[in-house]
Amino acid sequence: MANMSGMHHMALACIEGERRLGHDSIVVDVDQQGTWLSPAAVEADIHVCHTRFPEIQRYRVKNATGRDAKVVFVSHGIPEHNMELAVASGNDLKEYCPADYWMLTRHWLQTADAFVVLNTRQQAIYQTMVRKEFPIDCVPMGVDTAFWAGHQGPKEQMHGQPAVWMSENQARIKWALDVLIAWPWVIRDCPQAFLHAHYIPFDLQRVLIDLANTNGASFRATLSARTFSHEMLRTMWQGCDFHLATTRY
């Protein structure tokens, strides 16, 4: 179960992989209450939660099947980011009863039938927070080889020797600040390098582009708020030499 966001697209990718393995798997949009009521959603053997699981759904499952709902929670965010989101939402004085992502994580650590993370670092951290008899399961994020197979990529190399790509979302654990601070030293030692930095929202551009213009990073870089389709990202990633994943931790 996931809402209509980036997490929804992630859930769709997981579903596609499960279907290729022969499982009967569907995505339920938690923002559309009617989808919770379908027989496939209520009578599923396992419910996988990517964002939230409506508690009333437990009663529907019990009434329809006579058994308790088995819920697997998939934790996408690293612990530090969940903590940061919880603090940031609590600092919004305009909002009453703000979302608390750390509370959500703690809830599922206590109540999920299985708790799944995507890398061993998350696994080690969360394992310290539960009894040793309850395993935190690590399922590394896979690569959709069918999506990449046979694709020829761009006709020409992207600008730069080397061409460096960066398009992470700009949460503070992985924003462009550190790369832009370092970039003048990179181009001093590698003057033909070029940085392609995208997905930088306009509210951050006010300071990040100002920094890049001041320290000279923008002389060998392009910065924008642009987003790209999966197909276009595939093409552009295959035309660059380095893809920076800038998560600091």
Side-chain angles (χ1 to χ4, degrees):
M1 293 192 172
N3 58 14
M4 293 296 289
S5 63
M7 202 68 75
H8 181 80
H9 292 292
M10 178 67 184
L12 287 173
C14 293
I15 292 301
E16 178 60 28
E18 290 165 2
R19 288 173 175 170
R20 292 180 191 174
L21 293 172
H23 300 296
D24 185 10
S25 188
I26 64 168
V27 172
V28 176
D29 178 7
V30 297
D31 291 330
Q32 300 293 326
Q33 185 170 356
T35 60
W36 305 347
L37 305 177
S38 68
V42 174
E43 299 174 10
D45 296 318
I46 300 173
H47 303 267
V48 179
C49 176
H50 291 268
T51 52
R52 58 188 176 90
F53 183 81
E55 287 303 308
I56 194 173
Q57 193 75 356
R58 295 185 185 274
Y59 297 99
R60 295 186 182 125
V61 171
K62 187 73 171 181
N63 291 335
T65 66
R67 49 183 166 78
D68 295 329
K70 295 295 184 181
V71 181
V72 175
F73 182 73
V74 181
S75 179
H76 294 258
I78 67 173
E80 293 90 340
H81 190 42
N82 286 342
M83 184 74 75
E84 181 183 323
L85 289 172
V87 172
S89 61
N91 286 336
D92 186 355
L93 300 180
K94 299 178 183 178
E95 185 176 356
Y96 177 74
C97 194
D100 186 338
Y101 296 92
W102 185 250
M103 172 276 299
L104 182 67
T105 300
R106 294 285 289 109
H107 168 76
W108 286 113
L109 281 169
Q110 294 175 353
T111 61
D113 293 286
F115 193 97
V116 175
V117 297
L118 306 177
N119 63 64
T120 55
R121 183 180 182 277
Q122 288 173 275
Q123 182 184 36
I125 292 173
Y126 285 132
Q127 193 65 63
T128 67
M129 301 174 62
V130 295
R131 67 187 188 278
K132 62 182 180 180
E133 294 84 5
F134 181 74
I136 302 297
D137 296 304
C138 180
V139 181
M141 204 178 297
V143 175
D144 184 356
T145 55
F147 179 75
W148 295 93
H151 185 69
Q152 299 300 315
K155 294 181 179 179
E156 297 181 0
Q157 163 81 18
M158 291 183 67
H159 185 65
Q161 294 291 336
V164 180
W165 181 277
M166 180 175 62
S167 58
E168 286 279 5
N169 66 58
Q170 295 297 301
R172 277 180 287 177
I173 58 165
K174 51 185 174 180
W175 62 351
L177 175 63
D178 306 274
V179 174
L180 294 178
I181 289 174
W183 198 247
W185 283 276
V186 174
I187 59 178
R188 182 193 63 185
D189 294 339
C190 191
Q192 295 305 309
F194 196 88
L195 175 65
H196 303 260
H198 300 289
Y199 201 31
I200 301 175
F202 291 114
D203 58 332
L204 285 180
Q205 286 189 24
R206 183 177 66 86
V207 291
L208 293 183
I209 290 184
D210 180 63
L211 168 64
N213 287 337
T214 303
N215 73 354
S218 60
F219 180 68
R220 296 293 299 172
T222 181
L223 292 82
S224 84
R226 291 188 62 182
T227 60
F228 303 88
S229 68
H230 288 172
E231 290 73 21
M232 181 58 72
L233 275 176
R234 176 179 58 187
T235 296
M236 302 188 83
W237 285 350
Q238 290 188 335
C240 68
D241 299 297
F242 293 99
H243 180 193
L244 289 182
T246 49
T247 300
R248 180 178 301 133
Y249 292 105

